[in-house]
Amino acid sequence: METIIEGQNYNFYVAADGAEFYIEAIHLASLKFSFINNNNAVLSEFNINIDDKKNSESQWFITARQSKLFFKKAVNFLSDKIYRDYLERKLDEDREYGEWENRKII
């Protein structure tokens, strides 16, 4: 399963492929991108403690069932404009700290 959710300054690519799950954010102006599963705002949506070893990984390998549930949950919270605007502000902060180095080639 995969989908793209369009935001104001970012597009969000959500993917669940069997036991793999990730969310990729692409900054539209710069085309810089990052996997954001381990962003604190996202971790809190999944009720994952920031000390959980899972949060250090940008792509999660979990059960296929959990991957499917996380996909649905991610689509739900990223489709909420108020939450998405909040998350975009947090992602702007991350980029300002230089944590986004890669550019997406389209």
Side-chain angles (χ1 to χ4, degrees), residues 35-80:
F35 295 99
I36 62 167
N37 298 35
N38 51 3
N39 180 283
N40 287 344
V42 174
L43 288 172
S44 68
E45 289 298 314
F46 292 115
N47 294 318
I48 295 175
N49 188 303
I50 61 170
D51 296 326
D52 189 315
K53 66 180 180 175
K54 187 183 301 169
N55 89 9
S56 65
E57 303 297 327
S58 60
Q59 297 174 352
W60 297 343
F61 294 95
I62 51 184
T63 67
R65 181 178 180 271
Q66 191 174 32
S67 180
K68 186 176 181 179
L69 292 172
F70 278 10
F71 179 87
K72 289 179 182 179
K73 187 169 186 90
V75 168
N76 187 42
F77 67 72
L78 289 170
S79 296
D80 180 303

Side-chain angles (χ1 to χ4, degrees), residues 1-2 4 8 14 18 25 30 32 34-36 45 47-48 52 59 63 65 71 78-79 83 88-89 95 99 101 104:
M1 295 183 291
E2 57 187 45
I4 295 174
Q8 183 174 350
V14 184
S30 68
K32 289 186 177 185
S34 182
F35 295 99
I36 62 167
E45 289 298 314
N47 294 318
I48 295 175
D52 189 315
Q59 297 174 352
T63 67
R65 181 178 180 271
F71 179 87
L78 289 170
S79 296
Y83 177 81
E88 288 195 9
R89 288 191 302 275
R95 281 187 317 97
E99 296 183 23
E101 298 177 6
K104 195 73 164 174

Side-chain angles (χ1 to χ4, degrees), residues 80-94:
D80 180 303
K81 182 174 178 356
I82 294 170
Y83 177 81
R84 195 174 54 247
D85 289 348
Y86 162 76
L87 180 59
E88 288 195 9
R89 288 191 302 275
K90 294 298 181 186
L91 297 179
D92 285 342
E93 291 173 11
D94 282 354

